[in-house]
Amino acid sequence: MRMPKRKSEENARANKEVDNYLSPAAVRKLQDDLRRLEDVSRPRAVTELSRTRDMGDLSENAAYSDAKGRLMGIDRRIFEIKTKLKNAVVIEQGSSDGRVSVGASVTVRVNGKEKIYEITGSQETDPGSGRISHRSPLGSALMGHLAGETVSVVNAERKEVKYEILGVE
């Protein structure tokens, strides 16, 4: 029997596509985390696993199971970080040709107020501090435009909001 597909499940699967844009600071942080995991956390976990293995019957040894689970978690995190670093596309800060691109800072005027947004990869967004993804509605609308142009974005209330690009750095 074929299971029906829910729209929400299809959308979730489609949105799992992760872009690999990372700032130089994010790459350094991942490298530091990887070094810490490989040089400190993993050796400690291996030592703990050996110590608990020597306690006796492994089938009823909760400390051994816990240590084994901790080591597996560390190994999984190491694998994730190595994969992210291998596939990373380092963001160049600024705009070389004056167009909005990933890594650019964009000054816009919306509803009479000036705002500055930094266009980032989807893994580093923080809309509250002005860091928006190039895949967000506003970020994708701004991409490729120059200072002096106006872009329109439909917000959650289905109202069209106009953003005038004042500068791209």
Side-chain angles (χ1 to χ4, degrees):
M1 180 170 121
R2 190 163 169 222
M3 295 297 292
K5 293 186 177 179
R6 295 185 177 130
K7 196 68 158 171
S8 61
E9 290 173 354
E10 289 176 4
N11 290 341
R13 256 185 255 118
N15 290 333
K16 285 210 184 236
E17 182 183 324
V18 175
D19 69 51
N20 297 311
Y21 288 106
L22 293 173
S23 67
V27 171
R28 278 191 303 279
K29 183 180 182 313
L30 284 173
Q31 289 169 338
D32 291 345
D33 288 349
L34 181 62
R35 267 193 296 280
R36 182 185 48 77
L37 286 169
E38 288 180 331
D39 297 343
V40 178
S41 300
R42 191 172 194 289
R44 283 183 187 165
V46 169
T47 302
E48 180 65 12
L49 184 67
S50 296
R51 187 186 69 75
T52 57
R53 184 183 309 128
D54 294 338
M55 290 178 158
D57 186 9
L58 299 181
S59 65
E60 295 182 14
N61 188 340
Y64 173 76
S65 296
D66 186 47
K68 187 174 167 185
R70 213 170 305 118
L71 180 61
M72 287 173 34
I74 290 169
D75 286 341
R76 181 174 41 255
R77 181 68 183 138
I78 288 171
F79 177 77
E80 289 169 359
I81 291 173
K82 283 183 175 180
T83 301
K84 274 186 181 181
L85 288 172
K86 182 177 87 174
N87 297 319
V89 177
V90 181
I91 298 171
E92 297 294 326
Q93 297 300 99
S95 174
S96 59
D97 61 354
R99 293 191 179 277
V100 178
S101 60
V102 177
S105 273
V106 185
T107 305
V108 297
R109 181 179 297 129
V110 58
N111 300 328
K113 296 179 184 174
E114 284 189 19
K115 294 185 178 183
I116 299 174
Y117 293 106
E118 183 181 343
I119 309 298
T120 67
S122 59
Q123 297 180 45
E124 296 183 77
T125 62
D126 183 6
S129 65
R131 295 173 56 91
I132 61 171
S133 168
H134 68 287
R135 290 185 171 179
S136 69
L138 176 57
S140 62
L142 291 171
M143 291 294 287
H145 288 279
L146 297 165
E149 295 182 356
T150 302
V151 297
S152 298
V153 178
V154 178
N155 66 11
E157 293 91 38
R158 302 216 183 257
K159 290 169 37 180
E160 185 178 46
V161 180
K162 298 215 182 273
Y163 290 83
E164 180 187 353
I165 301 173
L166 302 176
V168 179
E169 296 176 11

